[in-house]
Amino acid sequence: MTDDLKISVIDHPLVQHKLTLMRMEETGTKDFRELLEEISMLMAYEITRDLPLVDVSINTPVAKCSSKTLNGKKMGLIPILRAGLGMVDGIVKLIPTIKIGHVGMYRDPKTLKPVEYYCKLPTDVAERTLIVIDPMLATGGSAAAALSLLKEKGAKHIIYLCLVSAPEGIRAINEMHPDIKIYTASIDEKLNENGYIVPGLGDAGDRLFGTL
Ligand SMILES: O=P(O)(O)OC[C@H]1O[C@H](OP(=O)(O)OP(=O)(O)O)[C@H](O)[C@@H]1O
Ligand SMILES: O=c1cc[nH]c(=O)[nH]1
Ligand SMILES: [Mg+2]
């Protein structure tokens, strides 16, 4: 049952098409990397559709007019290393002034518990809307730890964006971080005995960086 999950699924046809290509085992590193960049841009486009706007007065070459400009909090992008790095460039193309912080987190293959190894953030995280990015939400351990870390550092407004999610991970974030809105392109079926998402797409970091 997934009716109880609080998450928004981005079902745009281009996102779904590209995700299918990424899932295919024959898709190599070059294509996987390009697809992740493209899909991240499309997802960022969707999740930013409610950003607040304000009217400004401008002069075009033809006439004076009132036009819209962004008026919200400043933004920050937080990739969870390594795999989250593959989502950065696509989003930066859409929001070129976004500040980028890095959280290094890997999942211990035996315990499946997250291990933090790096954290470098913009100094003013409390004043920013942060988009935390990681292609895979499996047990939710890495995401939950990264979100707790950001809150400890003062972050107040955070959005979490992943590509593929498992019900177990969504439930974990819903419980531990009920204030955080989660976006995904897919809610997959389950986790397997090794904590991998089924059907998933395998190890996103390894496929992205060619370290299989
Ligand atoms: O929800 P969880 O059970 O915590 O699993 C998800 C985490 O696992 C992967 O990272 P990984 O540990 O493989 O590190 P990597 O990005 O360096 O490959 C993935 O990118 C997430 O960060
Ligand atoms: O399926 C999974 C689970 C965790 N991390 C990945 O990269 N893939
Ligand atoms: Mg990995």
Side-chain angles (χ1 to χ4, degrees):
M1 274 288 286
T2 55
D3 292 353
D4 59 324
L5 303 176
K6 281 197 293 155
I7 188 161
S8 298
V9 178
I10 298 173
D11 58 2
H12 192 289
L14 288 174
V15 170
Q16 295 301 317
H17 176 80
K18 288 174 194 296
L19 175 56
T20 299
L21 296 175
M22 292 183 71
R23 287 188 194 273
M24 291 163 64
E25 63 181 344
E26 59 268 37
T27 299
T29 292
K30 173 181 177 289
D31 289 338
F32 190 90
R33 198 180 284 147
E34 288 172 4
L35 286 161
L36 183 56
E37 179 178 335
E38 291 162 10
I39 212 168
S40 303
M41 184 192 280
L42 293 168
M43 292 177 83
Y45 182 75
E46 287 284 319
I47 71 170
T48 51
R49 63 167 55 249
D50 295 326
L51 287 180
L53 292 169
V54 66
D55 288 320
V56 288
S57 178
I58 60 163
N59 295 302
T60 77
V62 178
K64 185 173 177 153
C65 70
S66 173
S67 197
K68 309 255 178 236
T69 186
L70 288 170
N71 182 39
K73 283 178 187 257
K74 293 178 287 183
M75 303 194 72
L77 188 61
I78 316 288
I80 302 180
L81 309 182
R82 287 175 303 167
L85 287 174
M87 301 176 72
V88 169
D89 288 354
I91 298 177
V92 168
K93 282 198 177 120
L94 275 192
I95 314 170
T97 57
I98 200 164
K99 291 275 197 321
I100 304 173
H102 294 85
V103 172
M105 197 77 76
Y106 72 87
R107 192 174 75 157
D108 183 288
K110 287 212 178 67
T111 64
L112 301 186
K113 299 284 177 229
V115 182
E116 185 200 325
Y117 60 90
Y118 188 73
C119 180
K120 182 77 181 177
L121 303 174
T123 48
D124 54 354
V125 282
E127 281 96 62
R128 291 182 182 271
T129 295
L130 302 181
I131 307 175
V132 176
I133 47 175
D134 190 333
M136 310 306 279
L137 178 62
T139 65
S142 305
L147 295 170
S148 297
L149 178 65
L150 292 170
K151 287 179 178 175
E152 276 165 31
K153 304 275 183 189
K156 296 195 169 48
H157 187 218
I158 310 176
I159 298 166
Y160 178 82
L161 173 64
C162 64
L163 190 57
V164 179
S165 54
E168 293 88 335
I170 303 167
R171 256 182 217 111
I173 304 303
N174 284 167
E175 268 168 34
M176 294 174 67
H177 297 285
D179 54 312
I180 290 182
K181 183 128 175 76
I182 318 177
Y183 293 89
T184 190
S186 176
I187 304 173
D188 277 16
E189 196 188 324
K190 60 177 183 183
L191 297 177
N192 69 13
E193 60 284 3
N194 299 316
Y196 276 83
I197 301 175
V198 180
L201 49 71
D203 189 302
D206 283 343
R207 292 193 68 186
L208 181 66
F209 293 108
T211 49
L212 284 167

